[in-house]
Amino acid sequence: MNAAKGITPRAEDFSAWYNDVIMRAQVADYSPVRGCMVIRPWGYGIWELMQGALDGMFKATGHQNAYFPLFIPQSFLAREAQHVEGFAPETAVVTRGGGKELEEPLVVRPTSETIIYAMLGKWIQSYRDLPVLLNQWANVVRWELRTRLFLRTTEFLWQEGHTAHATAAEAEEETLRILGVYREFMEQWMAMPVLTGAKTDAERFAGAVRTYACEALMQDNRALQAGTSHFLGQNFARAFDVQFQTADGGMDHVWSTSWGVSTRLVGALIMVHSDDVGLVCPPRLAPRQVVIVPIWKSDADRASTVEVAQRLRQDLERAGLRVEMDAREGMKPGAKYYEWEGRGVPLRLEIGPRDVAQGQVMAARRIGGKQPVPLADAASAIVQLLDGIQAELLARARARRDEHSVRGVTKQQLIERMEEEAGFAYAGFCGDPACEQAIKERTKATVRVLPDAEFRSPEAPTRCVWCDRPAVTEAVWAKAY
Ligand SMILES: [Zn+2]
Protein backbone atom coordinates (compact mmCIF):
# COMPACT_ATOMS: atom_id res chain seq x y z
CA MET A 1 0.00 0.00 0.00
CA ASN A 2 1.18 3.50 -0.78
CA ALA A 3 1.50 6.16 1.84
CA ALA A 4 -1.72 8.01 2.53
CA LYS A 5 -2.03 11.71 1.87
CA GLY A 6 -1.40 13.73 4.98
CA ILE A 7 0.70 11.06 6.67
CA THR A 8 4.42 11.66 6.92
CA PRO A 9 6.23 8.42 6.01
CA ARG A 10 7.81 6.60 8.98
CA ALA A 11 11.21 6.59 7.34
CA GLU A 12 11.15 10.36 6.95
CA ASP A 13 10.13 11.49 10.43
CA PHE A 14 8.91 8.86 12.88
CA SER A 15 7.43 11.23 15.42
CA ALA A 16 5.55 13.26 12.79
CA TRP A 17 4.28 9.95 11.36
CA TYR A 18 3.08 8.91 14.82
CA ASN A 19 1.09 12.12 15.29
CA ASP A 20 -0.33 11.90 11.77
CA VAL A 21 -1.53 8.33 12.34
CA ILE A 22 -3.28 9.38 15.56
CA MET A 23 -5.00 12.29 13.83
CA ARG A 24 -6.01 10.31 10.77
CA ALA A 25 -7.38 7.41 12.83
CA GLN A 26 -9.18 9.87 15.13
CA VAL A 27 -7.66 8.19 18.15
CA ALA A 28 -6.89 11.35 20.12
CA ASP A 29 -6.46 15.09 19.77
CA TYR A 30 -4.56 17.91 21.43
CA SER A 31 -6.48 19.67 24.17
CA PRO A 32 -6.76 23.35 25.07
CA VAL A 33 -4.74 22.49 28.19
CA ARG A 34 -1.06 22.19 27.44
CA GLY A 35 0.32 18.72 28.03
CA CYS A 36 -3.11 17.10 28.25
CA MET A 37 -4.88 15.21 25.51
CA VAL A 38 -8.37 14.30 24.51
CA ILE A 39 -8.94 10.62 23.86
CA ARG A 40 -11.52 10.36 21.10
CA PRO A 41 -14.10 7.55 20.96
CA TRP A 42 -11.94 5.38 18.67
CA GLY A 43 -8.95 5.63 21.00
CA TYR A 44 -11.10 5.23 24.08
CA GLY A 45 -12.62 2.15 22.45
CA ILE A 46 -9.14 0.60 22.25
CA TRP A 47 -8.49 1.54 25.88
CA GLU A 48 -11.82 0.04 27.02
CA LEU A 49 -10.94 -3.24 25.32
CA MET A 50 -7.52 -3.16 27.01
CA GLN A 51 -9.19 -2.46 30.35
CA GLY A 52 -11.69 -5.26 29.88
CA ALA A 53 -9.00 -7.82 29.13
CA LEU A 54 -6.67 -6.73 31.93
CA ASP A 55 -9.48 -6.39 34.45
CA GLY A 56 -10.51 -9.97 33.75
CA MET A 57 -6.94 -11.16 34.20
CA PHE A 58 -6.54 -9.26 37.49
CA LYS A 59 -9.76 -10.71 38.85
CA ALA A 60 -8.78 -14.20 37.72
CA THR A 61 -5.63 -13.80 39.84
CA GLY A 62 -7.63 -12.81 42.92
CA HIS A 63 -7.62 -9.00 42.79
CA GLN A 64 -10.52 -6.67 43.54
CA ASN A 65 -11.10 -3.14 42.31
CA ALA A 66 -11.39 -0.21 44.70
CA TYR A 67 -11.21 3.55 44.42
CA PHE A 68 -9.17 6.05 46.43
CA PRO A 69 -9.30 9.88 46.34
CA LEU A 70 -7.74 12.02 43.63
CA PHE A 71 -6.29 14.34 46.31
CA ILE A 72 -3.52 13.32 48.67
CA PRO A 73 -2.43 15.43 51.68
CA GLN A 74 0.98 16.82 50.81
CA SER A 75 2.50 15.49 54.02
CA PHE A 76 1.67 11.90 53.00
CA LEU A 77 4.03 12.08 50.06
CA ALA A 78 6.86 13.21 52.31
CA ARG A 79 6.67 10.14 54.55
CA GLU A 80 8.63 7.88 52.21
CA ALA A 81 11.89 9.70 51.49
CA GLN A 82 12.77 8.26 48.07
CA HIS A 83 9.17 8.43 46.96
CA VAL A 84 8.86 12.16 47.63
CA GLU A 85 12.22 12.82 46.02
CA GLY A 86 11.10 10.97 42.89
CA PHE A 87 7.68 12.53 42.58
CA ALA A 88 7.75 16.00 44.19
CA PRO A 89 9.20 17.77 41.11
CA GLU A 90 6.31 16.66 38.94
CA THR A 91 3.31 17.06 41.23
CA ALA A 92 0.41 19.43 40.78
CA VAL A 93 -0.61 20.93 44.11
CA VAL A 94 -3.95 22.45 45.09
CA THR A 95 -3.59 25.26 47.62
CA ARG A 96 -7.03 26.85 47.39
CA GLY A 97 -10.52 25.35 47.56
CA GLY A 98 -13.95 26.90 47.91
CA GLY A 99 -12.37 30.32 47.72
CA LYS A 100 -10.09 29.80 50.73
CA GLU A 101 -6.48 28.85 51.32
CA LEU A 102 -6.32 25.19 52.38
CA GLU A 103 -4.82 24.35 55.75
CA GLU A 104 -2.76 21.65 54.11
CA PRO A 105 -2.07 21.68 50.37
CA LEU A 106 -3.41 18.68 48.45
CA VAL A 107 -1.37 16.89 45.84
CA VAL A 108 -3.20 15.62 42.75
CA ARG A 109 -2.18 11.96 42.84
CA PRO A 110 0.88 11.09 40.76
CA THR A 111 0.37 7.51 42.05
CA SER A 112 -1.57 6.29 45.08
CA GLU A 113 0.77 4.30 47.34
CA THR A 114 0.68 6.86 50.13
CA ILE A 115 -3.07 7.27 50.45
CA ILE A 116 -3.62 3.55 50.07
CA TYR A 117 -1.13 2.74 52.84
CA ALA A 118 -2.80 5.28 55.09
CA MET A 119 -5.98 3.22 54.67
CA LEU A 120 -4.36 -0.21 54.87
CA GLY A 121 -3.08 0.80 58.28
CA LYS A 122 -6.72 0.94 59.42
CA TRP A 123 -7.81 -2.26 57.71
CA ILE A 124 -5.03 -4.68 58.47
CA GLN A 125 -4.62 -6.00 62.01
CA SER A 126 -3.73 -9.64 61.72
CA TYR A 127 -2.18 -12.14 59.33
CA ARG A 128 -5.77 -13.26 58.72
CA ASP A 129 -6.40 -9.94 56.95
CA LEU A 130 -3.68 -10.74 54.45
CA PRO A 131 -3.08 -10.75 51.58
CA VAL A 132 -4.87 -7.59 50.46
CA LEU A 133 -5.05 -7.62 46.66
CA LEU A 134 -6.33 -4.31 45.28
CA ASN A 135 -6.47 -2.64 41.92
CA GLN A 136 -7.61 0.85 41.01
CA TRP A 137 -8.55 2.21 37.57
CA ALA A 138 -7.89 5.94 37.70
CA ASN A 139 -6.32 9.04 36.24
CA VAL A 140 -3.05 10.44 37.58
CA VAL A 141 -1.17 13.69 37.05
CA ARG A 142 2.57 14.12 36.56
CA TRP A 143 3.58 17.57 35.46
CA GLU A 144 5.47 16.98 32.22
CA LEU A 145 7.28 19.69 30.33
CA ARG A 146 7.80 17.77 27.11
CA THR A 147 4.70 15.81 26.23
CA ARG A 148 3.71 13.40 23.46
CA LEU A 149 0.28 11.96 22.82
CA PHE A 150 -0.22 8.80 24.92
CA LEU A 151 3.51 8.38 25.65
CA ARG A 152 3.96 11.26 28.04
CA THR A 153 1.06 13.46 29.02
CA THR A 154 0.46 15.45 32.17
CA GLU A 155 -2.73 13.56 32.94
CA PHE A 156 -3.08 9.95 31.94
CA LEU A 157 -5.31 6.98 32.63
CA TRP A 158 -3.99 3.81 34.16
CA GLN A 159 -4.51 0.99 36.57
CA GLU A 160 -2.46 0.69 39.72
CA GLY A 161 -2.37 -2.53 41.65
CA HIS A 162 -1.47 -2.45 45.34
CA THR A 163 -1.04 -5.58 47.39
CA ALA A 164 0.05 -6.34 50.95
CA HIS A 165 1.39 -9.70 52.12
CA ALA A 166 2.60 -11.45 55.26
CA THR A 167 5.99 -12.45 53.85
CA ALA A 168 8.63 -11.10 51.49
CA ALA A 169 8.46 -14.29 49.44
CA GLU A 170 4.72 -13.89 48.84
CA ALA A 171 5.11 -10.27 47.81
CA GLU A 172 7.95 -11.12 45.46
CA GLU A 173 5.86 -13.92 43.97
CA GLU A 174 2.99 -11.48 43.40
CA THR A 175 5.32 -8.99 41.71
CA LEU A 176 6.43 -11.65 39.24
CA ARG A 177 2.91 -13.04 38.76
CA ILE A 178 1.75 -9.63 37.58
CA LEU A 179 4.77 -9.23 35.33
CA GLY A 180 3.60 -12.48 33.71
CA VAL A 181 0.03 -11.18 33.41
CA TYR A 182 1.30 -8.04 31.70
CA ARG A 183 3.45 -10.01 29.34
CA GLU A 184 0.59 -12.31 28.41
CA PHE A 185 -1.68 -9.34 27.77
CA MET A 186 0.90 -7.52 25.66
CA GLU A 187 1.68 -10.56 23.55
CA GLN A 188 -1.75 -12.17 23.23
CA TRP A 189 -3.90 -9.04 23.00
CA MET A 190 -1.61 -6.29 21.73
CA ALA A 191 0.43 -8.69 19.54
CA MET A 192 3.45 -6.92 21.00
CA PRO A 193 6.40 -9.07 22.08
CA VAL A 194 8.18 -7.90 25.22
CA LEU A 195 11.37 -8.55 27.12
CA THR A 196 10.95 -8.96 30.85
CA GLY A 197 13.43 -8.53 33.63
CA ALA A 198 14.57 -6.40 36.54
CA LYS A 199 15.55 -2.74 36.38
CA THR A 200 18.89 -1.51 37.66
CA ASP A 201 18.86 0.55 40.87
CA ALA A 202 19.19 3.72 38.81
CA GLU A 203 16.03 2.92 36.84
CA ARG A 204 13.81 1.55 39.58
CA PHE A 205 10.61 3.11 40.94
CA ALA A 206 11.00 5.72 43.67
CA GLY A 207 10.42 3.81 46.90
CA ALA A 208 10.73 0.27 45.50
CA VAL A 209 13.23 -2.41 46.48
CA ARG A 210 13.08 -3.97 43.03
CA THR A 211 11.31 -2.97 39.83
CA TYR A 212 10.51 -5.38 37.03
CA ALA A 213 9.42 -4.25 33.60
CA CYS A 214 8.11 -5.29 30.22
CA GLU A 215 10.04 -3.59 27.41
CA ALA A 216 8.95 -3.47 23.79
CA LEU A 217 10.73 -2.30 20.66
CA MET A 218 8.97 0.30 18.52
CA GLN A 219 9.38 0.56 14.74
CA ASP A 220 11.98 3.31 15.08
CA ASN A 221 14.07 0.86 17.14
CA ARG A 222 13.57 2.73 20.38
CA ALA A 223 12.42 0.85 23.43
CA LEU A 224 9.24 1.59 25.31
CA GLN A 225 8.67 0.62 28.91
CA ALA A 226 5.20 -0.86 28.63
CA GLY A 227 4.49 -1.91 32.20
CA THR A 228 6.17 -2.14 35.58
CA SER A 229 5.73 -4.28 38.67
CA HIS A 230 7.42 -3.26 41.92
CA PHE A 231 8.44 -5.19 44.98
CA LEU A 232 8.22 -2.50 47.67
CA GLY A 233 9.58 -4.54 50.55
CA GLN A 234 8.42 -2.95 53.81
CA ASN A 235 9.26 0.62 52.74
CA PHE A 236 5.71 1.96 52.57
CA ALA A 237 4.49 -0.23 55.42
CA ARG A 238 7.13 1.36 57.67
CA ALA A 239 6.42 4.88 56.45
CA PHE A 240 2.71 4.42 57.18
CA ASP A 241 3.11 2.00 60.06
CA VAL A 242 1.09 -0.80 58.52
CA GLN A 243 1.67 -3.62 61.00
CA PHE A 244 -0.03 -6.93 61.56
CA GLN A 245 -0.03 -9.64 64.17
CA THR A 246 1.82 -12.67 62.79
CA ALA A 247 0.59 -16.26 63.13
CA ASP A 248 2.94 -16.84 66.07
CA GLY A 249 1.76 -13.75 67.93
CA GLY A 250 4.55 -11.30 67.01
CA MET A 251 4.19 -8.02 65.10
CA ASP A 252 5.58 -7.28 61.64
CA HIS A 253 5.17 -4.72 58.87
CA VAL A 254 3.41 -5.95 55.74
CA TRP A 255 5.36 -6.65 52.56
CA SER A 256 3.91 -4.96 49.54
CA THR A 257 3.85 -4.55 45.78
CA SER A 258 2.52 -2.06 43.28
CA TRP A 259 2.18 -2.37 39.53
CA GLY A 260 0.73 -0.42 36.65
CA VAL A 261 0.09 0.00 32.98
CA SER A 262 -1.37 3.10 31.38
CA THR A 263 -2.86 4.62 28.24
CA ARG A 264 0.77 4.65 27.10
CA LEU A 265 -0.07 1.16 25.83
CA VAL A 266 -2.30 2.74 23.17
CA GLY A 267 0.76 4.65 21.93
CA ALA A 268 2.81 1.44 21.97
CA LEU A 269 0.19 -0.42 19.96
CA ILE A 270 0.24 2.35 17.35
CA MET A 271 4.04 2.47 17.13
CA VAL A 272 4.51 -1.29 16.91
CA HIS A 273 2.00 -2.11 14.17
CA SER A 274 0.91 0.91 12.13
CA ASP A 275 2.17 1.80 8.67
CA ASP A 276 2.33 4.74 6.27
CA VAL A 277 -1.37 4.37 5.47
CA GLY A 278 -2.49 4.80 9.07
CA LEU A 279 -3.38 2.79 12.13
CA VAL A 280 -3.00 -0.99 12.19
CA CYS A 281 -4.96 -2.40 15.12
CA PRO A 282 -4.70 -6.01 16.31
CA PRO A 283 -8.16 -7.62 15.95
CA ARG A 284 -8.54 -8.38 19.67
CA LEU A 285 -8.26 -4.68 20.52
CA ALA A 286 -9.94 -3.17 17.47
CA PRO A 287 -13.06 -1.12 18.30
CA ARG A 288 -14.42 -2.46 15.00
CA GLN A 289 -12.89 -5.70 13.78
CA VAL A 290 -14.75 -5.83 10.49
CA VAL A 291 -16.21 -3.19 8.21
CA ILE A 292 -18.76 -4.31 5.63
CA VAL A 293 -18.97 -2.18 2.51
CA PRO A 294 -21.88 -2.92 0.16
CA ILE A 295 -21.19 -1.73 -3.39
CA TRP A 296 -23.84 -0.70 -5.91
CA LYS A 297 -24.43 1.31 -9.05
CA SER A 298 -28.19 0.90 -9.56
CA ASP A 299 -30.95 1.12 -6.97
CA ALA A 300 -31.75 -2.55 -7.51
CA ASP A 301 -28.11 -3.48 -6.74
CA ARG A 302 -28.21 -1.28 -3.70
CA ALA A 303 -31.23 -3.08 -2.29
CA SER A 304 -29.70 -6.53 -2.79
CA THR A 305 -26.15 -5.78 -1.62
CA VAL A 306 -27.33 -3.87 1.46
CA GLU A 307 -29.72 -6.66 2.35
CA VAL A 308 -26.96 -9.27 2.11
CA ALA A 309 -24.63 -6.99 4.06
CA GLN A 310 -27.17 -6.59 6.85
CA ARG A 311 -27.66 -10.34 7.14
CA LEU A 312 -23.92 -10.85 7.22
CA ARG A 313 -23.56 -8.22 9.89
CA GLN A 314 -26.08 -10.03 12.07
CA ASP A 315 -24.26 -13.34 11.59
CA LEU A 316 -20.94 -11.78 12.55
CA GLU A 317 -22.36 -9.99 15.57
CA ARG A 318 -23.94 -13.24 16.73
CA ALA A 319 -20.45 -14.75 16.54
CA GLY A 320 -19.32 -12.01 18.96
CA LEU A 321 -17.52 -9.78 16.46
CA ARG A 322 -17.50 -5.97 16.50
CA VAL A 323 -18.84 -4.94 13.12
CA GLU A 324 -19.31 -1.67 11.25
CA MET A 325 -21.51 -1.43 8.19
CA ASP A 326 -20.72 1.42 5.84
CA ALA A 327 -23.69 1.92 3.50
CA ARG A 328 -23.27 5.69 3.29
CA GLU A 329 -24.76 7.25 0.16
CA GLY A 330 -22.88 9.61 -2.11
CA MET A 331 -19.47 8.24 -1.23
CA LYS A 332 -17.37 6.04 -3.53
CA PRO A 333 -16.26 2.63 -2.22
CA GLY A 334 -12.61 3.69 -2.64
CA ALA A 335 -13.11 6.64 -0.31
CA LYS A 336 -14.66 4.34 2.27
CA TYR A 337 -11.78 1.86 2.00
CA TYR A 338 -9.33 4.70 2.49
CA GLU A 339 -11.09 5.92 5.61
CA TRP A 340 -11.31 2.52 7.32
CA GLU A 341 -7.74 1.64 6.41
CA GLY A 342 -6.61 4.83 8.09
CA ARG A 343 -8.55 3.89 11.20
CA GLY A 344 -7.00 0.46 11.35
CA VAL A 345 -10.00 -1.85 10.93
CA PRO A 346 -8.36 -5.29 10.50
CA LEU A 347 -10.73 -6.70 7.91
CA ARG A 348 -12.91 -5.16 5.19
CA LEU A 349 -15.69 -7.15 3.52
CA GLU A 350 -16.76 -5.89 0.10
CA ILE A 351 -20.09 -7.01 -1.31
CA GLY A 352 -20.93 -6.10 -4.90
CA PRO A 353 -23.73 -7.42 -7.15
CA ARG A 354 -21.42 -10.07 -8.61
CA ASP A 355 -20.48 -11.27 -5.11
CA VAL A 356 -24.17 -11.53 -4.22
CA ALA A 357 -24.74 -13.61 -7.36
CA GLN A 358 -21.84 -15.88 -6.47
CA GLY A 359 -22.83 -16.15 -2.80
CA GLN A 360 -19.57 -14.68 -1.51
CA VAL A 361 -17.86 -11.55 -0.17
CA MET A 362 -14.36 -10.26 -0.81
CA ALA A 363 -12.30 -10.06 2.38
CA ALA A 364 -9.43 -7.55 2.31
CA ARG A 365 -6.96 -7.65 5.19
CA ARG A 366 -5.64 -4.34 6.51
CA ILE A 367 -2.15 -5.83 6.51
CA GLY A 368 -2.44 -7.00 2.88
CA GLY A 369 -4.06 -9.94 1.11
CA LYS A 370 -7.52 -10.37 -0.35
CA GLN A 371 -9.67 -13.45 -0.76
CA PRO A 372 -13.27 -14.46 -1.44
CA VAL A 373 -15.22 -15.89 1.50
CA PRO A 374 -18.44 -17.90 0.89
CA LEU A 375 -21.47 -16.30 2.54
CA ALA A 376 -22.62 -19.66 3.84
CA ASP A 377 -20.85 -20.03 7.19
CA ALA A 378 -19.00 -16.72 6.69
CA ALA A 379 -18.73 -16.08 10.44
CA SER A 380 -16.36 -18.96 11.20
CA ALA A 381 -14.20 -18.10 8.17
CA ILE A 382 -14.02 -14.46 9.27
CA VAL A 383 -13.13 -15.43 12.84
CA GLN A 384 -10.33 -17.54 11.42
CA LEU A 385 -9.09 -14.71 9.24
CA LEU A 386 -9.01 -12.37 12.25
CA ASP A 387 -7.14 -14.94 14.34
CA GLY A 388 -4.65 -15.25 11.49
CA ILE A 389 -4.12 -11.47 11.42
CA GLN A 390 -3.64 -11.38 15.19
CA ALA A 391 -1.02 -14.14 15.01
CA GLU A 392 0.71 -12.60 12.01
CA LEU A 393 1.04 -9.22 13.72
CA LEU A 394 2.73 -10.82 16.72
CA ALA A 395 5.05 -12.89 14.51
CA ARG A 396 5.91 -9.84 12.43
CA ALA A 397 6.67 -7.70 15.48
CA ARG A 398 8.75 -10.48 17.01
CA ALA A 399 10.77 -10.92 13.82
CA ARG A 400 11.35 -7.16 13.68
CA ARG A 401 12.51 -7.06 17.26
CA ASP A 402 14.86 -10.01 16.82
CA GLU A 403 16.25 -8.50 13.65
CA HIS A 404 17.13 -5.36 15.61
CA SER A 405 18.58 -7.12 18.64
CA VAL A 406 22.26 -7.88 18.89
CA ARG A 407 24.10 -9.93 21.48
CA GLY A 408 27.58 -9.74 22.90
CA VAL A 409 28.46 -6.27 21.60
CA THR A 410 31.83 -4.66 22.22
CA LYS A 411 32.13 -1.12 23.56
CA GLN A 412 32.79 0.26 20.06
CA GLN A 413 29.86 -1.68 18.60
CA LEU A 414 27.56 -0.40 21.34
CA ILE A 415 28.54 3.20 20.60
CA GLU A 416 28.14 2.80 16.83
CA ARG A 417 24.92 0.87 17.09
CA MET A 418 23.25 3.47 19.30
CA GLU A 419 24.32 6.17 16.84
CA GLU A 420 22.86 4.29 13.91
CA GLU A 421 20.14 1.66 13.93
CA ALA A 422 19.71 1.48 17.75
CA GLY A 423 17.50 -1.48 18.81
CA PHE A 424 18.27 -3.80 21.72
CA ALA A 425 21.93 -4.48 22.54
CA TYR A 426 22.76 -7.31 24.97
CA ALA A 427 26.04 -6.96 26.81
CA GLY A 428 27.88 -7.86 29.98
CA PHE A 429 27.55 -5.37 32.86
CA CYS A 430 29.71 -4.97 35.96
CA GLY A 431 26.75 -3.60 37.94
CA ASP A 432 28.51 -0.32 38.75
CA PRO A 433 26.13 2.68 38.50
CA ALA A 434 29.09 4.81 37.37
CA CYS A 435 29.53 2.59 34.32
CA GLU A 436 25.82 2.74 33.63
CA GLN A 437 25.90 6.53 33.81
CA ALA A 438 28.95 6.76 31.54
CA ILE A 439 27.25 4.61 28.90
CA LYS A 440 24.11 6.71 29.14
CA GLU A 441 26.06 9.93 28.64
CA ARG A 442 28.06 8.58 25.71
CA THR A 443 25.33 6.66 23.85
CA LYS A 444 22.00 7.99 25.23
CA ALA A 445 21.09 4.34 25.83
CA THR A 446 19.88 3.06 29.19
CA VAL A 447 19.63 -0.39 30.67
CA ARG A 448 16.11 -1.45 29.82
CA VAL A 449 16.22 -4.67 31.83
CA LEU A 450 18.55 -7.23 33.30
CA PRO A 451 16.79 -9.89 31.26
CA ASP A 452 14.90 -12.83 32.76
CA ALA A 453 16.46 -16.25 32.16
CA GLU A 454 14.42 -16.96 29.06
CA PHE A 455 15.82 -13.90 27.25
CA ARG A 456 19.43 -14.22 28.32
CA SER A 457 22.15 -15.13 25.84
CA PRO A 458 23.05 -18.83 25.75
CA GLU A 459 26.55 -17.94 26.82
CA ALA A 460 26.65 -15.54 29.75
CA PRO A 461 28.94 -12.56 29.07
CA THR A 462 32.02 -12.57 31.30
CA ARG A 463 33.22 -8.94 31.00
CA CYS A 464 31.52 -5.55 31.32
CA VAL A 465 31.03 -4.00 27.88
CA TRP A 466 32.29 -0.64 29.13
CA CYS A 467 35.02 -1.12 31.75
CA ASP A 468 36.07 -4.70 30.99
CA ARG A 469 35.84 -5.69 34.65
CA PRO A 470 34.07 -9.00 35.34
CA ALA A 471 30.37 -8.93 34.45
CA VAL A 472 27.90 -9.69 37.25
CA THR A 473 24.95 -9.83 34.87
CA GLU A 474 23.81 -9.39 31.31
CA ALA A 475 22.00 -6.14 30.52
CA VAL A 476 19.85 -5.05 27.58
CA TRP A 477 20.65 -1.54 26.38
CA ALA A 478 18.46 0.65 24.20
CA LYS A 479 17.45 4.21 23.60
CA ALA A 480 14.06 4.59 25.16
CA TYR A 481 10.92 6.70 25.10
ZN1 LIG B 1 31.50 -1.67 33.94
Side-chain angles (χ1 to χ4, degrees), residues 425-480:
Y426 290 67
F429 177 42
C430 61
D432 184 348
C435 237
E436 189 178 357
Q437 184 61 26
I439 296 176
K440 189 175 171 180
E441 278 164 20
R442 180 66 179 82
T443 66
K444 307 227 167 31
T446 48
V447 173
R448 302 320 304 158
V449 282
L450 309 175
D452 284 339
E454 143 178 23
F455 301 102
R456 279 176 220 147
S457 302
E459 246 178 86
T462 54
R463 323 291 306 180
C464 175
V465 64
W466 206 253
C467 65
D468 206 40
R469 284 177 290 176
V472 296
T473 179
E474 185 172 37
V476 182
W477 297 84
K479 287 201 217 171

Side-chain angles (χ1 to χ4, degrees), residues 64-70 109 111-112 115-116 134-140 158-162 259:
Q64 290 180 300
N65 287 330
Y67 189 79
F68 294 83
L70 170 69
R109 65 179 162 223
T111 177
S112 302
I115 195 144
I116 288 177
L134 296 179
N135 176 61
Q136 162 167 274
W137 290 99
N139 57 341
V140 286
W158 78 345
Q159 60 71 215
E160 46 181 319
H162 296 275
W259 28 275

Side-chain angles (χ1 to χ4, degrees), residues 101-147:
E101 287 293 316
L102 301 179
E103 274 177 38
E104 178 177 1
L106 297 171
V107 170
V108 182
R109 65 179 162 223
T111 177
S112 302
E113 276 80 1
T114 58
I115 195 144
I116 288 177
Y117 282 90
M119 298 310 296
L120 292 185
K122 278 175 72 174
W123 300 337
I124 298 170
Q125 270 92 43
S126 130
Y127 68 95
R128 289 184 210 90
D129 301 324
L130 296 171
V132 173
L133 306 173
L134 296 179
N135 176 61
Q136 162 167 274
W137 290 99
N139 57 341
V140 286
V141 166
R142 297 178 186 176
W143 214 258
E144 296 282 358
L145 298 176
R146 297 181 57 192
T147 57

Side-chain angles (χ1 to χ4, degrees), residues 373-390:
V373 170
L375 275 166
D377 201 26
S380 68
I382 301 295
V383 166
Q384 245 176 38
L385 275 172
L386 290 169
D387 288 348
I389 294 169
Q390 182 80 30

Side-chain angles (χ1 to χ4, degrees), residues 64-80:
Q64 290 180 300
N65 287 330
Y67 189 79
F68 294 83
L70 170 69
F71 300 121
I72 299 177
Q74 198 171 34
S75 60
F76 280 27
L77 226 59
R79 288 204 215 168
E80 213 289 331

